[in-house]
Structure formats: C-alpha cells, structure tokens
Amino acid sequence: MLKVIHAAGLALVVTVAGLATTSPVRAQDIELRIGPDGVRPVIRDPRQPEYRGDDRRRPPPPPRGCSEREARAAAREAGLRDPEVVRVTPGRVVVEGYTRRGPERITFANERGCPEL
C-alpha cells in the first residue's frame, strides 16, 4: 500500500513540475547553422523578412512611368492651377486644371519624366 502511495505521489510531483516549467517555445528566434566554419548560432530579428540561404528579398523596383504626383507637378510647371489627374492609362496621363483663360487639359506620356504630348 505504501508503495502505491509513493508511486502516485511521485507521478503527481512529476506532473506538477512539468506543468510549472511549461512556457511558450521561443526556438523560432534562434537558428543553428552548420558549415565549413563549424556550428554557429544565428539570432533572427522577427521584424526582418525571413532569410533562407541565398534567397535574399530585394526591395520592389521603383515604379516606372509617370506617377500622379509627378504629373501634377509637371502641370503646375506648365502653368495650371489646382491640377487634378482625371485619367491614367498605360500610354498617357490626363491632367485638368485652370489657367488665366479658364479650364485647361494637358496630356502627358506615361513614361519616366512625364513628357508632354
């Protein structure tokens, strides 16, 4: 009888100790790399994009063409007040605004530098 109580008490202590030491796993932040220079730990920053070997993530390429902001700036330089982009197509950007004579419309090519058509 004493043997059964002793075994049950030991099982209870092991269970309670196991529950008390359980914590969230943080192993995702540390990586061990094995290479010609031996084993080395690598601590990853969770705010950085995931890095997998030589597959480095590059920033997206800059937008090509004439952005709406560039088109409005070019229209202001051409003499339009309150320029507003009204249409953007793959080939052109149409901007409307006002001059001394009244409403005016300027069309720019949708290319880098916003050349006027």
Side-chain angles (χ1 to χ4, degrees), residues 65-66 85-94 107-111 117:
C66 181
V85 176
V86 292
R87 178 177 287 162
V88 177
T89 64
R92 62 189 184 149
V93 179
V94 180
T107 305
F108 298 102
N110 197 356
E111 296 177 2
L117 295 177

Side-chain angles (χ1 to χ4, degrees), residues 2-105:
L2 190 59
K3 206 176 218 184
V4 173
I5 294 174
H6 182 64
L10 183 61
L12 182 66
V13 168
V14 169
T15 303
V16 170
L19 291 175
T21 60
T22 303
S23 64
V25 177
R26 296 185 150 238
Q28 272 77 15
D29 295 343
I30 295 178
E31 177 180 332
L32 293 177
R33 292 206 181 148
I34 301 172
D37 55 344
V39 178
R40 58 189 173 95
V42 176
I43 300 174
R44 291 185 285 175
D45 188 2
R47 294 170 291 190
Q48 296 294 324
E50 191 171 332
Y51 173 75
R52 293 183 181 145
D54 292 332
D55 181 29
R56 297 178 188 186
R57 294 197 179 177
R58 295 187 176 128
R64 300 184 187 269
C66 181
S67 70
E68 292 185 17
R69 183 177 182 184
E70 290 174 323
R72 283 193 303 267
R76 273 191 213 99
E77 289 178 12
L80 284 184
R81 290 182 312 223
D82 299 327
E84 182 179 339
V85 176
V86 292
R87 178 177 287 162
V88 177
T89 64
R92 62 189 184 149
V93 179
V94 180
V95 180
E96 289 182 351
Y98 296 95
T99 63
R100 286 188 235 158
R101 289 178 251 147
E104 188 72 34
R105 178 182 287 188

